[in-house]
Amino acid sequence: MSQNNLPRTAKRLADYTAPAFSISHVDLCCELDAEATRVTSVLQIKRNLADVALKLDGQQLTLISVAIDGRLLGAADYQLDAESLTIFTVAQQCELTIICDIAPQHNTALEGLYMAGDTYCTQCEAEGFRRISYFPDRPDVLAEYKVTIKADAKRYPYLLSNGNKISEHIDDQGLRVVQWHDPFPKPCYLFALVAGDFDVLTDEFVTQSGRKVSLQLFVDKGAITKGSFALESLKRAMQWDEQRYGLEYDLDIYMVVAVDFFNMGAMENKGLNIFNSKYVLADAASATDRDYFNIESIIGHEYFHNWTGNRVTCRDWFQLSLKEGLTVFRDQEFSADMGSATLCRIDAVKLIRTAQFAEDASPMAHPIRPEQVLEMNNFYTVTVYDKGAEVIRMLQTLLGRDTFAKGLALYLQRHDGQAATCDDFLQAMQDVAAQDLSQFRLWYSQSGTPLLTATQHYDATRSQLVVSLTQQTPPTTEQTDKQPLLIPVQIELLYKGKASQRHLLLLNEIEQQYLFEGITEAPVVVWLEHFSAPVKLSAQYTDDDLLFIASQATDGVARWDAMQQFWSRKIAQQVAEGATGVVLPPALFKLLQHWLEQPGSDKAMTAELLTLPDFDTLAEQYQLIPVDSLLSCLNQFKQLLAEQLAASFSNCYNALKIGPYQYQDQDVGVRRLRAVCLNYLAQLNNYQSLLHAHYANSDNMTDTMAALTAAQQSENEVFSQLINDFGKRWQHDALVMDKCFALVASQSGEQVFEEIDTMLMHPLFSWKNPNRVRALFSAFSLRNPQQFHRADGKGYQLLADTVLRLDPLNPQVAARLVTPLLSWRRFDTDRQQQMRAALQQIAGQSNISNDVYEKVSRSLN
Ligand code: B3K
Ligand code: ZN
């Protein structure tokens, strides 16, 4: 990496020191201009530490002037470099005024103040505020903000910031001038500013204590009807947080703005959430059931941050999981209460088993509280977020729901208005539970996926069952020694002829045994019910055991999991034995047939039971991933099921009737099950007309996508006919075109390379828009294993070229895209070479961003 001559020094958690200066008030004035926005910042500063200079963070700012208590500073009074402004002499208390200019128009990184089309908007988490003004850009500096925004009154009817609006007028130059005040002290990452012209949906929410909150949702002109689901979701979230945790909203106004250019999903800025429009806008014609689900969950997530994140924030960025793991847990619980709890859990488990386990096995492995970070944006990961949420869930399992809720209340009360740590959170939990959580704390500092091995012994003469568990966490790239963790293992003892029993086992040693007395019949043990811990499990199941669990277990997640295990084992066997083929037991077909004939009331659950594990889930079972044989076995099994059960799939499909589109649980289930049937049938030659009919008869995007995805499976002309029609029909709707791009990029045939090239020329494609880039290239690298992992390396090359093309524009998104290349060590020698070559090509470029550098260098070293 010699060509990269920037100093690249990681920050370490161990080096944390409290801020040398506090800031009580920030008075910010932004005079908006695309090329030169003038930012005047007046800071009330107080010294906490003697004899140190005041060092402020700042990037890509043009400094105009600095003054202390009204006195203009000269060049000798401070030092300026590309990352900071250091002022040498600062009194115990003073007023610091800094003026600088920024150019939102040229901000393609989408951090700080930037333009999303004609709209000005901000993204400050993690370290974007330093691109707006010089400031101690760290989450433990909390200040009260007053913000003035000035912009052309005609073009910018809405000038928004955090808190309450205190004044608005148009000055004599035709500028609209709006002032905002946020009474809650906050870190600068929660600052937000938006200026634009929108359609606005308004509503009101009355809190449990009777306060009226005005709700406002800002969307692109003309999109007003697409905002109502998000607004309804917001009200549901507000009510849920009151009912479940007694948490009430605290300002008089709550605003959500949807923008078209956004690096992630959304941002929880105090009182002014900014959202990727993908997670706000929905109607039946253009959004799928999954889109609706995501909107409700992300609207909930950002709202829940108001307490877990905003009222109590993080002391430093290493503590990110304090707010993110907890808030993901809260949004999962919300979604579970709004719809099917089992389905939500299955989704969460899938994510952990694919992306999170893969991250643990990669060079980017880190604990949910990382210890060393070069670019913070690289740590908004499935580990911090989703494994973080699993850790919170385990805590709830261990303490019980009520004690957990009390612990949360104590934590929020104790640290309200403060920047806290993960330890503070655990301390509150420990205090209410009167339970020692010191071993549990290891989940915060230890990375990697624990492997549990379970065995059982039944003694009929003594009516005793002994179950044994062992745990072992393999070394990760950054941490070799692992300690035994405290793991809650929920089990169910299932019997052929009598009621089952459920138990919670606590595993806290390397190996433990548990004795059950009075057991008069050998049970089948359902291990890790509801995925009670984020671990891999190895248990001695027979095929019959798994099919028994799949049909009888109380917990839906366990039933689904048994089928996943069944298939994973069969596929693994086939991979190991080669072409000779694995014989599938007749009992399996009987069960599948039964589900198809009597899909029951929970059709979505039935759909899950009938779905094979995907490539990524299967891949996580191997240290060295046998790409070709995995893909071909997966196809063979799918084909076999389609052939053997064609009549059942077809009957089930035909029997499922549904009225006009509604986003409602029962209907979602019916659509999902029909889609699964269609997908299998698409493997066969004589179902083309069904695909055409499904597409043509669809009155909603869910069914349309089901037809297109199924058509993608069938190796015939249907897909190209349908996708052409789809692309034409939706050529003016960027969010729907993203679906089209993703479908094109995830086709398994080799024409994909040419077609991606064609899509790059589409009028709606733009390298500057993260949604577009992800639609094409994340779909290609994550959902097209056949072509991405081509043995000739063409797929890796395409991704490397894309990363290099994107990095100068948007490092954050470029660094996300590079992820699938990092795990090159897990592939065969030829692929290893190709992947490494791609990484080396990236590493060899001069001036790659810290974002990309950190990941690529961790992978190559
Ligand atoms: N807190 C933001 C994520 C910010 C990511 C910065 N790279 C959204 C969320 O988790 O709610
Ligand atoms: Zn979050």
Side-chain angles (χ1 to χ4, degrees), residues 301-374:
H301 180 98
E302 306 312 331
Y303 174 72
F304 302 141
H305 267 315
N306 190 54
W307 276 98
T308 51
N310 300 2
R311 287 288 287 259
V312 181
T313 190
C314 300
R315 185 193 72 172
D316 55 76
W317 289 123
F318 299 100
Q319 318 291 332
L320 181 62
S321 202
L322 174 69
K323 75 176 178 83
E324 294 305 347
L326 179 56
T327 305
V328 171
F329 169 76
R330 277 154 54 66
D331 85 50
Q332 289 176 351
E333 293 288 272
F334 168 60
S335 297
D337 283 352
M338 294 300 111
S340 157
T342 305
L343 267 286
C344 289
R345 191 71 192 124
I346 289 175
D347 277 354
V349 177
K350 282 182 184 165
L351 188 65
I352 294 286
R353 286 214 175 123
T354 52
Q356 204 283 319
F357 286 179
E359 188 158 79
D360 275 343
S362 86
M364 278 299 286
H366 53 274
I368 65 167
R369 182 182 54 209
E371 274 158 21
Q372 191 164 319
V373 163
L374 177 63

Side-chain angles (χ1 to χ4, degrees), residues 156-278:
Y156 296 99
Y158 297 99
L159 304 180
L160 314 175
S161 191
N162 320 83
N164 303 311
K165 195 199 276 189
I166 48 178
S167 73
E168 170 159 5
H169 71 276
I170 297 178
D171 73 7
D172 45 17
Q173 290 160 44
L175 293 179
R176 187 181 305 279
V177 182
V178 181
Q179 279 203 314
W180 293 84
H181 172 239
D182 181 359
F184 292 94
K186 63 169 176 287
C188 63
Y189 83 85
L190 290 173
F191 165 79
L193 178 158
V194 173
D197 190 4
F198 303 99
D199 275 349
V200 192
L201 284 86
T202 56
D203 208 331
E204 189 177 80
F205 180 80
V206 182
T207 69
Q208 57 185 7
S209 69
R211 279 189 318 100
K212 286 187 177 150
V213 182
S214 147
L215 309 179
Q216 304 180 0
L217 182 80
F218 299 82
V219 297
D220 277 353
K221 285 260 172 204
I224 195 141
T225 53
K226 291 192 185 176
S228 44
F229 181 76
L231 198 54
E232 293 302 317
S233 302
L234 175 61
K235 289 191 285 179
R236 286 193 287 274
M238 295 177 88
Q239 195 173 30
W240 182 87
D241 218 14
E242 291 184 348
Q243 283 168 353
R244 174 77 178 259
Y245 292 113
L247 296 173
E248 189 174 318
Y249 186 61
D250 49 13
L251 285 163
D252 300 334
I253 174 170
Y254 192 91
M255 295 173 282
V256 174
V257 184
V259 299
D260 297 325
F261 289 67
F262 206 67
N263 279 347
M264 325 83 52
M267 178 65 210
E268 70 263 26
N269 316 300
K270 182 78 186 186
L272 176 56
N273 288 182
I274 301 180
F275 268 65
N276 187 327
S277 52
K278 173 180 163 69

Side-chain angles (χ1 to χ4, degrees), residues 81-113:
D81 64 30
E83 308 266 303
S84 61
L85 168 68
T86 306
I87 303 170
F88 302 124
T89 314
V90 176
Q92 186 62 30
Q93 219 157 344
C94 68
E95 181 179 278
L96 176 64
T97 305
I98 302 174
I99 303 180
C100 51
D101 282 353
I102 51 180
Q105 179 85 74
H106 302 292
N107 182 348
T108 56
L110 313 187
E111 279 185 274
L113 177 68

Side-chain angles (χ1 to χ4, degrees), residues 30 38 60 70 81 108 160 185 249 253 260-261 277 345 405 458 489 560 587 600 666 686 713 719 811 853 855:
C30 300
R38 174 136 308 185
Q60 320 218 332
D81 64 30
T108 56
L160 314 175
Y249 186 61
I253 174 170
D260 297 325
F261 289 67
S277 52
R345 191 71 192 124
Y458 177 64
V489 181
W560 162 79
Q666 290 296 321
N686 39 345
Q713 312 294 308
F719 179 69
Y853 172 85
K855 294 173 101 171

Side-chain angles (χ1 to χ4, degrees), residues 366-592:
H366 53 274
I368 65 167
R369 182 182 54 209
E371 274 158 21
Q372 191 164 319
V373 163
L374 177 63
E375 172 48 61
M376 190 53 214
N377 286 326
N378 283 338
F379 289 84
Y380 287 75
T381 58
V382 275
T383 299
V384 167
Y385 273 62
D386 299 279
K387 184 177 177 184
E390 293 299 318
V391 170
I392 302 289
R393 185 176 295 280
M394 286 191 286
L395 206 51
Q396 176 174 265
T397 305
L398 289 166
L399 305 186
R401 235 169 108 128
D402 290 349
T403 307
F404 175 84
K406 283 190 192 122
L408 180 63
L410 177 64
Y411 157 74
L412 293 175
Q413 180 218 323
R414 210 180 248 179
H415 299 285
D416 192 6
Q418 295 176 2
T421 62
C422 298
D423 281 334
D424 292 332
F425 176 80
L426 286 171
Q427 190 61 49
M429 288 291 164
Q430 181 161 307
D431 291 349
V432 293
Q435 197 171 318
D436 177 16
L437 292 175
S438 45
Q439 190 184 12
F440 188 79
R441 259 163 226 257
L442 282 172
W443 281 105
Y444 283 82
S445 55
Q446 189 162 291
S447 61
T449 310
L451 176 64
L452 257 55
T453 309
T455 53
Q456 68 194 78
H457 176 73
Y458 177 64
D459 185 337
T461 51
R462 294 202 174 108
S463 303
Q464 281 181 343
L465 171 75
V466 178
V467 300
S468 310
L469 282 168
T470 64
Q471 62 165 307
Q472 188 244 334
T473 305
T476 44
T477 42
E478 53 17 304
Q479 194 183 55
T480 43
D481 292 335
K482 305 288 179 183
Q483 312 289 314
L485 296 156
L486 171 57
I487 304 177
V489 181
Q490 270 171 211
I491 65 168
E492 180 174 30
L493 305 181
L494 268 188
Y495 303 95
K496 297 265 145 76
K498 58 172 190 172
S500 68
Q501 300 150 345
R502 300 167 91 174
H503 301 274
L504 176 65
L505 309 182
L506 301 185
L507 175 65
N508 58 8
E509 290 166 26
I510 293 178
E511 183 167 5
Q512 256 163 294
Q513 295 199 326
Y514 308 80
L515 172 69
F516 297 93
E517 310 246 33
I519 308 283
T520 52
E521 182 189 327
V524 173
V525 184
V526 181
W527 294 105
L528 220 62
E529 247 196 327
H530 218 61
F531 197 62
S532 62
V535 301
K536 289 186 179 175
L537 173 83
S538 146
Q540 326 152 295
Y541 284 128
T542 62
D543 285 355
D544 285 348
D545 289 344
L546 288 172
L547 297 179
F548 182 55
I549 295 173
S551 61
Q552 298 301 325
T554 309
D555 173 36
V557 181
R559 295 179 57 211
W560 162 79
D561 194 21
M563 285 313 291
Q564 294 281 298
Q565 286 188 54
F566 181 91
W567 289 117
S568 300
R569 279 169 36 160
K570 292 293 164 197
I571 293 170
Q573 231 175 310
Q574 175 107 333
V575 166
E577 287 169 17
T580 47
V582 163
V583 182
L584 294 172
L588 167 74
F589 291 102
K590 244 178 91 182
L591 189 58
L592 298 178

